Amino acid sequence: MDYAGQFSVVMPTLQRSDVLRTIVDRCAAHLLLAAVFVINNATDALASDSPKVRVLNQGRNIYVNPVSNLGAHEARADFLAIINDDVPFEDGALTHARRALRSHRVRVIGPAQDAFNRPAHGSRRVKIAPFFSFKGSFGTFRCLRRADYNRISDEMRIWGGDYWLFPTQSRPNGVLSGYGFDPEMGTSSDSPEFQALRAAELASARPILMPLYWTRWWHRPVEYLDRVRKLSKRLKRSENPVAQATARGSE
């Protein structure tokens, strides 16, 4: 079967998200979607009647980074979208991400911080900007070419997947603005089990991740661009008290 120009979605779940079914159904109905791999880390089995949805019941929690590795291995489409089970998104986000990935300007695309809780209507300015520093929002919705997926180290199970994929790319990554994302967030990551494992992994992950930075030609130029962009925003806020108050409220 020809999956050229299409996405395979990889979605980990512990079945704790109230919007899991909604997101899976929406993905399955998307014209650019070849397949949706729901990788079920809960002990209760899941099933789907959709021919596009393939549920991989693990019977146990294999954790988020092994899920990404498994999904990337199983996928056959040109593009991957690794999407959290609690982040509803506008359909146009995938369409625009594919356009940018086809241009080869950027490698991994995630949502900009200002895309969260943005109303899905009204005027919009869609853009993908190169960036270096990112917040937690980036890991909730990641789009990339399947050929650019670099298998995440087996030593990292729940933390550091984004920090692995991000610096290992041959070209800069990008953040997408102009489409709305409306996450529940924290349905799994706020659990005591997750937090305990995350704390244990931080110490072991840092020696793996830190040597990856400053190894690609684009790291320093894009970091510099990030700093200039942030300084420009601060200067504009200082000149506009209303914008300054709004920015503080969104942080």
Side-chain angles (χ1 to χ4, degrees), residues 51-217:
K52 278 191 176 182
V53 178
R54 181 179 170 193
V55 179
L56 302 179
N57 290 303
Q58 302 302 299
R60 62 188 177 88
N61 192 353
I62 67 170
Y63 302 108
V64 63
N65 292 334
V67 162
S68 296
N69 288 338
L70 174 60
H73 175 75
E74 294 291 330
R76 295 295 178 266
D78 283 350
F79 305 105
L80 282 176
I82 305 172
I83 301 174
N84 284 12
D85 67 352
D86 55 2
V87 183
F89 60 93
E90 291 186 81
D91 289 350
L94 282 175
T95 305
H96 202 87
R98 185 183 73 158
R99 189 178 304 133
L101 292 170
R102 277 182 156 178
S103 74
H104 295 277
R105 291 186 298 108
V106 290
R107 286 294 186 258
V108 184
I109 297 171
Q113 191 68 22
D114 63 7
F116 279 71
N117 299 312
R118 177 191 180 281
H121 55 77
S123 61
R124 69 176 80 218
R125 183 186 175 196
V126 178
K127 65 176 182 176
I128 293 179
F131 74 110
F132 193 81
S133 60
F134 57 89
K135 297 183 179 180
S137 58
F138 182 82
T140 62
F141 179 95
R142 290 165 288 172
C143 297
L144 67 160
R145 301 183 74 90
R146 182 164 58 91
D148 291 327
Y149 183 87
N150 299 317
R151 181 181 171 85
I152 300 169
S153 171
D154 292 332
E155 297 179 55
M156 299 187 299
R157 294 174 298 168
I158 65 166
W159 186 83
D162 302 333
Y163 294 90
W164 175 279
L165 289 176
F166 181 90
T168 57
Q169 300 302 315
S170 61
R171 287 182 177 272
N173 306 294
V175 284
L176 173 64
S177 299
Y179 291 103
F181 296 80
D182 188 18
E184 290 182 342
M185 298 289 281
T187 53
S188 298
S189 60
D190 286 345
S191 69
E193 175 195 26
F194 182 96
Q195 291 298 325
L197 285 169
R198 181 180 184 276
E201 280 200 353
L202 278 172
S204 60
R206 283 197 179 101
I208 298 171
L209 295 171
M210 292 308 296
L212 299 177
Y213 286 87
W214 322 125
T215 58
R216 299 289 188 179
W217 66 266

